[in-house]
Amino acid sequence: MTSRFIPSTARTSIALAIGAGALFAAATAHAQVVSSGIVNLNIPASTNGLYLNVVTGANNLPAGGTGTTVPGWDINPWSATGLAFFSPTAPAGGAYVITSANNVTNLAPGSLVGATSTFGSGTTAFQSQWLLNSSNNFFGFRFVNEAGGTTHYGWAQIAIGAALTQRTLVQYAFEATPGASIAVVPEPGTYAMMGLGVIALLAARRRLSKQA
């Protein structure tokens, strides 16, 4: 499976392409990872929090209004006292990757989000899993793209300060291919560099073998 990271400025065009089916003519099509890049969206410590449409980038900032101000919103981290999540009406059964207790899970980098994940509405009571003074906080989600009615999977990264009420949505990504799983890969360039390092190592070994 190959992945392609697309600048955030292209997200609106991608939304239209998803609706038209241009990116996925068949189930065998290569995965298309759409990345927001670093956005650093504040998650207000309020009953509104951050409503976000992950395809268009539309959100309720800076005023911090309700989800009715964000057409087609997909995720909503919120809470005035801790960190909670609110699901839209679709998809049925909830938007977030959860534990058996319906707590949104803090996923490890490399985790896979897809059809085999367990999803729920995301009532989060287990607060201790979130890491303070760290950006190593990731949650998985799914959403229904309003342009085509298809289900997609994604992940988002949250940076948290000294308290859970000090938080920022750092970046997010999703699969443009309906039903395709996505790995939590916050720094795709790191993996590319690792690949280049392996290639360089193999080239060096070939040179040494020729000299021997």
Side-chain angles (χ1 to χ4, degrees), residues 53-126:
N53 182 316
V54 299
V55 176
T56 66
N59 59 71
N60 62 324
L61 301 179
T66 66
T68 58
T69 64
V70 185
W73 66 271
D74 303 301
I75 58 174
N76 174 218
W78 69 284
S79 181
T81 57
L83 181 57
F85 296 81
F86 183 57
S87 285
T89 55
Y96 306 101
V97 176
I98 60 166
T99 64
S100 58
N102 202 32
N103 298 322
V104 173
T105 305
N106 188 358
L107 299 173
S111 299
L112 201 64
V113 179
T116 59
S117 302
T118 302
F119 292 90
S121 58
T123 304
T124 301
F126 181 45

Side-chain angles (χ1 to χ4, degrees), residues 4-211:
R4 180 164 62 93
F5 284 77
I6 303 171
S8 58
T9 53
R11 278 176 284 162
T12 300
S13 297
I14 290 166
L16 296 175
I18 289 175
L23 291 180
F24 40 88
T28 56
H30 290 301
Q32 300 285 338
V33 176
V34 181
S35 174
S36 70
I38 303 300
V39 291
N40 287 330
L41 297 174
N42 178 48
I43 303 174
S46 68
T47 54
N48 289 322
L50 171 66
Y51 287 91
L52 175 66
N53 182 316
V54 299
V55 176
T56 66
N59 59 71
N60 62 324
L61 301 179
T66 66
T68 58
T69 64
V70 185
W73 66 271
D74 303 301
I75 58 174
N76 174 218
W78 69 284
S79 181
T81 57
L83 181 57
F85 296 81
F86 183 57
S87 285
T89 55
Y96 306 101
V97 176
I98 60 166
T99 64
S100 58
N102 202 32
N103 298 322
V104 173
T105 305
N106 188 358
L107 299 173
S111 299
L112 201 64
V113 179
T116 59
S117 302
T118 302
F119 292 90
S121 58
T123 304
T124 301
F126 181 45
Q127 303 290 296
S128 61
Q129 67 172 324
W130 305 107
L131 304 178
L132 302 181
N133 297 311
S134 174
S135 60
N136 196 29
N137 297 286
F138 303 92
F139 67 90
F141 61 87
R142 62 181 177 177
F143 68 96
V144 174
N145 186 275
E146 61 271 17
T150 49
T151 299
H152 303 259
Y153 299 101
W155 60 266
Q157 179 183 17
I158 294 179
I160 299 175
L164 286 174
T165 52
Q166 303 169 8
R167 63 278 175 110
T168 301
L169 187 75
V170 178
Q171 61 179 317
Y172 57 93
F174 68 90
E175 268 288 354
T177 304
S181 299
I182 184 172
V184 178
V185 184
E187 297 177 356
T190 301
Y191 293 89
M193 292 302 293
M194 289 172 63
L196 290 173
V198 171
I199 292 171
L201 178 60
L202 292 174
R205 286 180 175 176
R206 283 196 295 268
R207 287 195 299 269
L208 289 173
S209 64
K210 289 179 180 179
Q211 293 172 0

